[in-house]
């Protein structure tokens, strides 16, 4: 039985058009369910060339949405990364598509077994506002490499980026292959209710629950890339300036508006003041001013800015120490920007401890020994990323095998997301499922097991009536103890 597309609102032209596109994509998939490797390579190569042609328009659009976002930063963390992802998929798609031979039990030979990877059909991608291009197209590339049709719902909070994306993709793909859907929250809700063959959502844990519930109505499998509070543990032996630089790089990109940005620091009690001093020096050196500095990104909108301000107000009222890094003593009261701010002495009743920060605030906590730091992380919901700084391999192995996180880095932050050859995905409250690289190809494919027999049929020996001599012999051999 084929699931019907539920009409959410007959009077909404956006939703009606979205439903029409879904039906067109499903029909196109049925007409051509197994694109060749050459077709898939051609499809994703077109995207690479389009990104290069539209580079300036894409950068300007996201800058308008944020109010101020460093153009070079956008080029590196979104566009350059996507070009590298495309190169990787072009290089590997033929290998991934090859049927995989599997072994057969002795009593079933000479039959053969194999696994083939088939496209699922129509894949839905729900994109957040923080990295509108990378988080839309990285998933789309994996889905297209797997041979699927793709519908992308862009965030209503980045309308200029959505329009730029729509214009770029409409130039190179028919809408029955790739389509960009724009619109407000009602369109997004309707999008989650379409009977996709797979749905991937990147965003907050709370919204992820609603997406999963909507998808369950159609038994649509989901990949959820959520967030959480990603910790950094600094071992006391690690050079503090080196740690501060690598942490600052990961925290300051996009003003901390990154799902895998460091959320809180665990530093040895004896080094708290040293970390605060060195981290402040590094950030001040990189961003001596911020108000009119295009290198430093704004908070995306007033709603998010007020959320972050409420965290600081709540923390201060409950006894936390708030230390903004503002070397030029600029006034941010009428700006969309917020200085990088360290928060000390937080407690569990504070909003900043209860929620993912997703902005330029950084909690700093202390520990007395490494086991205590590991227990602190494990006592909390599993994060999307964990970062550990230490050159001792035994301690590295201990931390990485005794904590759970979606992924992470040793002696760095964020860079694991840009490595296409490793899977990316959360665990528990930080998400479920994986994509990137081969894991993305598998996520958006159906791995179908096939057994093929020739003219010789050994199973014939086991045909009824049961309890013949051959049956007794086979059972005796099967249950022979070691």
């Amino acid at each position: 039985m084929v699931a019907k597309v539920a009409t959410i609102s007959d009077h909404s032209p956006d939703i009606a058009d979205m439903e029409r596109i879904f039906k067109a994509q499903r029909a196109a998939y049925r007409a051509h369910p197994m694109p060749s490797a050459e077709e898939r390579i051609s499809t994703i190569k077109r995207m690479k060339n389009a990104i290069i042609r539209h580079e300036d328009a894409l950068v300007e659009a996201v800058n308008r949405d944020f109010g101020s976002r460093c153009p070079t930063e956008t080029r590196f963390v979104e566009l350059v990364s996507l070009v590298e992802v495309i190169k990787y998929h072009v290089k590997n798609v033929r290998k991934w598509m090859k049927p995989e031979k599997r072994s057969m039990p002795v009593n079933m030979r000479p039959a053969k077994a194999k696994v083939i990877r088939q496209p699922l059909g129509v894949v839905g991608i729900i994109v957040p506002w923080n990295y509108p291009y990378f988080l839309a197209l990285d998933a789309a590339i994996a889905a297209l490499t797997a041979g699927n049709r793709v519908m992308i719902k862009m965030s209503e909070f980045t309308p200029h980026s959505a329009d730029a994306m729509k214009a770029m993709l409409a130039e190179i793909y028919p809408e029955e292959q790739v389509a960009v859907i724009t619109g407000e929250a009602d369109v997004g809700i309707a999008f989650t209710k379409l009977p996709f063959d797979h749905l991937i959502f990147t965003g907050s844990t709370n919204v992820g629950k609603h997406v999963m519930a909507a998808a369950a109505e159609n038994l649509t499998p989901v990949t959820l890339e959520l967030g959480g509070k990603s910790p950094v543990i600094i071992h006391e032996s690690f050079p503090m300036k080196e740690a501060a630089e690598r942490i600052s790089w990961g925290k300051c990109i996009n003003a901390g508006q990154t799902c895998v940005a460091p959320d809180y620091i665990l530093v040895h009690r004896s080094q708290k003041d040293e970390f605060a001093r060195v981290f402040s020096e590094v950030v001040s050196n990189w961003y001596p001013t911020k108000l009119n500095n295009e290198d430093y990104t704004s908070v995306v909108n007033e709603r998010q800015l007020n959320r972050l301000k409420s965290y600081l107000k709540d923390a201060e009222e409950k006894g936390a120490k708030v230390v903004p890094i503002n070397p030029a003593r600029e006034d941010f009261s009428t700006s969309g920007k917020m200085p990088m701010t360290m928060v000390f002495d937080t407690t569990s009743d504070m909003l900043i401890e209860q929620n993912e920060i997703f902005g330029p605030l950084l909690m700093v906590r202390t520990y007395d020994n490494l086991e205590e730091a590991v227990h602190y992380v494990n006592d909390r919901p599993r994060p999307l990323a964990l970062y550990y700084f230490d050159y001792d391999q035994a301690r590295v192995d201990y931390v990485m095998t005794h904590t759970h996180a979606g992924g992470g880095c040793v002696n760095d932050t964020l860079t694991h997301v840009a490595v296409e050859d490793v899977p990316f995905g959360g665990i528990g409250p930080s998400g479920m499922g994986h994509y990137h690289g081969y894991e993305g190809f598998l996520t958006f494919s159906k791995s179908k097991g096939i057994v093929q027999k020739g003219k010789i049929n050994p199973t014939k020996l086991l045909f009824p009536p049961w309890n013949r001599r051959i049956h007794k012999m086979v059972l005796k051999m099967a249950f022979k103890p070691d």
Side-chain angles (χ1 to χ4, degrees):
M1 180 178 179
V2 177
K4 294 181 179 179
V5 179
T7 301
I8 310 300
S9 175
D10 291 334
H11 64 268
S12 169
D14 290 336
I15 294 175
D17 192 50
M18 179 179 69
E19 293 174 347
R20 176 190 60 77
I21 292 171
F22 177 84
K23 291 176 181 177
Q25 290 207 355
R26 175 153 283 184
Y29 165 73
R30 288 176 179 165
H32 189 37
M34 193 69 175
S36 67
E38 289 69 26
E39 289 174 300
R40 301 181 197 196
I41 289 170
S42 173
T43 294
I44 58 178
K45 274 187 172 180
R46 292 205 300 274
M47 188 184 296
K48 173 188 171 184
N49 294 331
I51 289 171
I52 294 170
R53 288 196 306 273
H54 287 255
E55 173 191 347
D56 291 339
L58 294 171
V59 169
E60 175 56 26
V62 78
N63 185 58
R64 291 179 65 190
D65 283 328
F66 275 77
S68 175
R69 194 192 198 204
C70 178
T72 303
E73 188 173 282
T74 297
R75 286 181 168 91
F76 271 98
V77 300
E78 298 219 58
L79 306 187
V80 171
S81 296
L82 285 169
V83 169
E84 292 303 313
V85 169
I86 291 168
K87 291 178 182 178
Y88 181 83
H89 282 251
V90 167
K91 179 181 178 180
N92 288 284
V93 62
R94 288 188 177 88
K95 176 178 65 177
W96 296 342
M97 287 179 65
K98 287 181 180 178
E100 183 180 337
K101 292 182 180 179
R102 297 294 178 91
S103 61
M104 288 290 294
V106 174
N107 62 331
M108 295 183 66
R109 296 174 185 170
K112 299 178 180 179
K114 65 180 178 181
V115 176
I116 64 171
R117 319 289 186 190
Q118 288 182 284
L120 296 174
V122 181
V123 172
I125 301 170
I126 302 176
V127 186
W129 50 262
N130 58 327
Y131 294 101
Y133 307 131
F134 183 77
L135 293 175
L137 297 183
D138 192 16
I141 292 162
L144 292 169
T145 300
N148 297 282
R149 312 278 162 161
V150 174
M151 292 177 67
I152 302 170
K153 172 60 179 76
M154 299 294 288
S155 172
E156 63 270 26
F157 298 123
T158 49
H160 298 100
S161 302
D163 289 343
M165 175 85 81
K166 189 170 187 174
M168 179 183 75
L169 296 183
E171 183 182 283
I172 56 174
Y173 300 123
E175 67 178 10
E176 63 267 21
Q177 184 175 28
V178 178
V180 173
I181 307 300
T182 59
E184 298 299 319
D186 61 326
V187 179
I189 292 170
F191 189 89
T192 65
K193 296 181 179 180
L194 292 173
F196 289 109
D197 298 291
H198 197 99
L199 183 64
I200 178 168
F201 167 81
T202 304
S204 71
T205 301
N206 287 335
V207 177
K209 293 177 182 178
H210 294 291
V211 170
M212 190 173 182
E217 292 295 317
N218 295 304
L219 296 180
T220 296
V222 296
T223 297
L224 300 178
E225 300 302 342
L226 308 177
K229 304 184 75 61
S230 296
V232 178
I233 304 174
I234 307 172
H235 190 267
E236 58 187 307
S237 66
F238 197 88
M240 191 58 75
K241 184 177 181 182
E242 191 68 27
E245 287 180 343
R246 300 183 192 193
I247 294 166
S248 298
W249 184 83
K251 185 63 178 180
C252 292
I253 283 179
N254 210 28
Q257 297 167 108
T258 306
C259 58
V260 290
D263 196 282
Y264 65 95
I265 304 295
L266 288 167
V267 64
H268 192 270
R269 187 175 303 277
S270 65
Q271 297 176 317
K272 181 181 77 169
D273 293 341
E274 181 186 5
F275 172 81
R277 176 181 57 80
V278 177
F279 183 79
S280 180
E281 287 173 357
V282 170
V283 174
S284 297
N285 183 50
W286 289 356
Y287 307 97
T289 63
K290 298 177 181 67
L291 275 179
N292 298 310
N293 184 350
E294 74 167 16
D295 282 351
Y296 192 77
T297 297
S298 298
V299 177
V300 68
N301 56 38
E302 188 175 3
R303 173 184 171 185
Q304 295 297 326
L305 186 63
N306 289 337
R307 175 183 62 83
L308 293 166
K309 288 179 178 178
S310 74
Y311 290 178
L312 290 181
K313 183 174 184 292
D314 174 77
E316 277 194 298
E317 289 175 349
K318 293 174 180 175
K321 179 183 178 182
V322 174
V323 182
I325 303 174
N326 184 15
R329 301 185 181 279
E330 295 169 293
D331 180 6
F332 293 90
S333 59
T334 60
S335 170
K337 292 185 176 182
M338 173 181 276
M340 184 62 62
T341 302
M342 293 180 288
V343 185
F344 299 87
D345 305 321
T346 59
T347 54
S348 60
D349 62 331
M350 297 178 183
L351 294 174
I352 196 169
E353 280 214 6
Q354 297 169 359
N355 300 283
E356 181 181 7
I357 291 176
F358 220 77
L361 313 180
L362 183 68
M363 292 189 299
V364 182
R365 299 190 61 87
T366 61
Y367 68 87
D368 291 311
N369 57 69
L370 189 57
E371 290 76 14
E372 179 189 342
V374 167
H375 287 315
Y376 184 87
V377 171
N378 288 338
D379 284 342
R380 281 147 185 80
R382 292 174 172 178
L384 187 55
L386 180 143
Y387 306 112
Y388 180 57
F389 287 81
D390 193 351
Y391 293 134
D392 182 273
Q393 192 59 48
R395 289 193 298 259
V396 168
D397 292 341
Y398 165 75
V399 171
M400 287 301 165
T401 58
H402 286 73
T403 57
H404 255 301
C409 301
V410 176
N411 305 330
D412 204 3
T413 57
L414 266 65
T415 49
H416 66 295
V417 180
V419 181
E420 190 65 13
D421 200 30
V422 300
F424 177 76
I427 179 172
S430 61
M432 63 176 68
H434 297 89
Y435 72 116
H436 287 201
Y438 183 54
E439 280 75 16
F441 177 82
L442 292 179
T443 290
F444 299 120
S445 299
K446 173 65 179 79
S447 297
K448 180 187 286 186
I450 299 171
V451 171
Q452 183 171 345
K453 290 184 176 180
K455 293 181 179 180
I456 299 174
N457 181 19
T459 309
K460 188 174 183 178
L461 297 172
L462 301 178
F463 285 176
W466 296 101
N467 211 30
R468 289 184 290 119
R469 179 179 296 179
I470 185 66
H471 298 122
K472 294 177 182 178
M473 183 177 69
V474 171
L475 289 173
K476 184 177 181 180
M477 291 174 61
F479 296 132
K480 183 179 179 181
D482 292 333

